[in-house]
Amino acid sequence: MSETSPTGSAETPGTPDFDEMTRDIAEVPAVEVIVTVAVNLMSAAAVKLGLTEEGDKYKDLDEARKLIHALAGLLDGSATEISSFHAAPLRDGLKSLQLAFREASLVPDEPGQGPGEKYTGPIYG
């Protein structure tokens, strides 16, 4: 049985109201969206590096590489859009992930070739 939302659109229970979601996201500042995405990428990369309580259960360095690279690209691309108040801890987190990746790799990448180093420059550890 479907219900009618306040916007007049029919929806079934458990189905997201996309009009409401659009209004909600429209009220969020761009900096907050960028930071939220960055934190999600950092969290996912930490899991794929085996840095959580579960340890190696979800470890996948290929996936971690992709997430770290995406995080570095996001931070590089948004550097002029977010303040250093937001950017500094994100850059620190990125560097920690890059170092953890280097440490976890059986055959470490050459300096400058690791995940995200295209954007950050070589990471030594």
Side-chain angles (χ1 to χ4, degrees):
M1 180 174 206
S2 66
E3 301 173 9
T4 304
S5 72
T7 60
S9 61
E11 60 182 74
T12 57
T15 303
D17 179 352
F18 291 109
D19 291 336
E20 184 177 330
M21 289 170 59
T22 300
R23 280 192 306 277
D24 289 346
I25 199 71
E27 296 172 6
V28 178
V31 170
E32 191 173 324
V33 173
I34 293 167
V35 170
T36 299
V37 170
V39 169
N40 286 331
L41 287 168
M42 291 174 83
S43 298
V47 169
K48 297 297 184 177
L49 285 169
L51 301 177
T52 61
E53 289 181 13
E54 293 86 7
D56 289 346
K57 183 177 180 182
Y58 301 108
K59 189 172 184 177
D60 184 334
L61 294 183
D62 185 51
E63 290 289 301
R65 175 184 294 277
K66 294 171 188 171
L67 292 163
I68 294 168
H69 190 77
L71 173 62
L74 174 65
L75 294 181
D76 184 60
S78 63
T80 60
E81 305 303 324
I82 61 177
S83 67
S84 60
F85 174 78
H86 294 292
L90 294 173
R91 282 193 303 265
D92 290 345
L94 170 60
K95 184 174 181 177
S96 295
L97 290 169
Q98 289 173 309
L99 289 169
F101 184 91
R102 184 169 293 284
E103 188 176 297
S105 298
L106 296 176
V107 180
D109 296 311
E110 292 294 321
Q113 301 303 308
E117 292 181 24
K118 165 183 174 179
Y119 301 106
T120 64
I123 300 293
Y124 300 94

